[in-house]
PDB file of all heavy atoms in Angstrom:
ATOM      1  N   PRO J 101       0.827 -11.484  25.462  1.00  0.00           N
ATOM      2  CA  PRO J 101      -0.415 -11.385  26.200  1.00  0.00           C
ATOM      3  C   PRO J 101      -0.656  -9.936  26.692  1.00  0.00           C
ATOM      4  O   PRO J 101       0.277  -9.210  26.987  1.00  0.00           O
ATOM      5  CB  PRO J 101      -0.274 -12.323  27.400  1.00  0.00           C
ATOM      6  CG  PRO J 101       1.285 -12.454  27.530  1.00  0.00           C
ATOM      7  CD  PRO J 101       1.856 -12.337  26.130  1.00  0.00           C
ATOM      8  N   ALA J 102      -1.864  -9.513  26.698  1.00  0.00           N
ATOM      9  CA  ALA J 102      -2.334  -8.279  27.218  1.00  0.00           C
ATOM     10  C   ALA J 102      -1.967  -7.044  26.412  1.00  0.00           C
ATOM     11  O   ALA J 102      -2.288  -5.941  26.758  1.00  0.00           O
ATOM     12  CB  ALA J 102      -1.839  -8.092  28.638  1.00  0.00           C
ATOM     13  N   ALA J 103      -1.207  -7.227  25.285  1.00  0.00           N
ATOM     14  CA  ALA J 103      -0.838  -6.067  24.473  1.00  0.00           C
ATOM     15  C   ALA J 103      -1.942  -5.821  23.467  1.00  0.00           C
ATOM     16  O   ALA J 103      -2.607  -6.764  22.941  1.00  0.00           O
ATOM     17  CB  ALA J 103       0.476  -6.399  23.710  1.00  0.00           C
ATOM     18  N   PRO J 104      -2.217  -4.572  23.141  1.00  0.00           N
ATOM     19  CA  PRO J 104      -3.238  -4.266  22.133  1.00  0.00           C
ATOM     20  C   PRO J 104      -2.850  -4.845  20.805  1.00  0.00           C
ATOM     21  O   PRO J 104      -1.652  -4.681  20.369  1.00  0.00           O
ATOM     22  CB  PRO J 104      -3.293  -2.728  22.112  1.00  0.00           C
ATOM     23  CG  PRO J 104      -1.971  -2.275  22.633  1.00  0.00           C
ATOM     24  CD  PRO J 104      -1.577  -3.345  23.663  1.00  0.00           C
ATOM     25  N   ARG J 105      -3.758  -5.467  20.092  1.00  0.00           N
ATOM     26  CA  ARG J 105      -3.391  -6.105  18.820  1.00  0.00           C
ATOM     27  C   ARG J 105      -3.342  -5.024  17.742  1.00  0.00           C
ATOM     28  O   ARG J 105      -4.127  -4.123  17.683  1.00  0.00           O
ATOM     29  CB  ARG J 105      -4.432  -7.099  18.460  1.00  0.00           C
ATOM     30  CG  ARG J 105      -4.030  -7.952  17.239  1.00  0.00           C
ATOM     31  CD  ARG J 105      -5.035  -9.006  16.925  1.00  0.00           C
ATOM     32  NE  ARG J 105      -4.663  -9.799  15.791  1.00  0.00           N
ATOM     33  CZ  ARG J 105      -5.359 -10.551  15.051  1.00  0.00           C
ATOM     34  NH1 ARG J 105      -6.721 -10.633  15.429  1.00  0.00           N
ATOM     35  NH2 ARG J 105      -4.915 -11.274  13.997  1.00  0.00           N
ATOM     36  N   VAL J 106      -2.317  -5.153  16.913  1.00  0.00           N
ATOM     37  CA  VAL J 106      -2.086  -4.293  15.834  1.00  0.00           C
ATOM     38  C   VAL J 106      -2.194  -4.973  14.537  1.00  0.00           C
ATOM     39  O   VAL J 106      -1.491  -5.989  14.308  1.00  0.00           O
ATOM     40  CB  VAL J 106      -0.698  -3.565  15.921  1.00  0.00           C
ATOM     41  CG1 VAL J 106      -0.456  -2.675  14.668  1.00  0.00           C
ATOM     42  CG2 VAL J 106      -0.563  -2.773  17.178  1.00  0.00           C
ATOM     43  N   ARG J 107      -3.073  -4.606  13.612  1.00  0.00           N
ATOM     44  CA  ARG J 107      -3.241  -5.216  12.352  1.00  0.00           C
ATOM     45  C   ARG J 107      -3.146  -4.101  11.238  1.00  0.00           C
ATOM     46  O   ARG J 107      -3.610  -3.020  11.445  1.00  0.00           O
ATOM     47  CB  ARG J 107      -4.646  -5.847  12.224  1.00  0.00           C
ATOM     48  CG  ARG J 107      -4.864  -6.813  13.354  1.00  0.00           C
ATOM     49  CD  ARG J 107      -6.233  -7.412  13.307  1.00  0.00           C
ATOM     50  NE  ARG J 107      -6.401  -8.420  12.264  1.00  0.00           N
ATOM     51  CZ  ARG J 107      -7.478  -8.585  11.514  1.00  0.00           C
ATOM     52  NH1 ARG J 107      -8.558  -7.816  11.710  1.00  0.00           N
ATOM     53  NH2 ARG J 107      -7.570  -9.586  10.619  1.00  0.00           N
ATOM     54  N   LEU J 108      -2.445  -4.470  10.126  1.00  0.00           N
ATOM     55  CA  LEU J 108      -2.094  -3.390   9.232  1.00  0.00           C
ATOM     56  C   LEU J 108      -2.581  -3.745   7.790  1.00  0.00           C
ATOM     57  O   LEU J 108      -2.632  -4.855   7.369  1.00  0.00           O
ATOM     58  CB  LEU J 108      -0.594  -3.229   9.099  1.00  0.00           C
ATOM     59  CG  LEU J 108       0.205  -2.691  10.317  1.00  0.00           C
ATOM     60  CD1 LEU J 108       1.621  -2.602  10.054  1.00  0.00           C
ATOM     61  CD2 LEU J 108      -0.403  -1.389  10.805  1.00  0.00           C
ATOM     62  N   ARG J 109      -2.980  -2.749   7.060  1.00  0.00           N
ATOM     63  CA  ARG J 109      -3.156  -2.721   5.612  1.00  0.00           C
ATOM     64  C   ARG J 109      -1.968  -1.979   5.009  1.00  0.00           C
ATOM     65  O   ARG J 109      -1.608  -0.892   5.455  1.00  0.00           O
ATOM     66  CB  ARG J 109      -4.463  -2.118   5.185  1.00  0.00           C
ATOM     67  CG  ARG J 109      -5.688  -2.690   5.850  1.00  0.00           C
ATOM     68  CD  ARG J 109      -6.989  -2.170   5.158  1.00  0.00           C
ATOM     69  NE  ARG J 109      -7.014  -0.775   5.041  1.00  0.00           N
ATOM     70  CZ  ARG J 109      -7.447   0.086   5.995  1.00  0.00           C
ATOM     71  NH1 ARG J 109      -7.847  -0.395   7.145  1.00  0.00           N
ATOM     72  NH2 ARG J 109      -7.454   1.420   5.749  1.00  0.00           N
TER      73      ARG J 109
END
Side-chain angles (χ1 to χ4, degrees):
R105 189 176 180 199
V106 177
R107 308 175 74 215
L108 297 180
R109 303 190 311 274

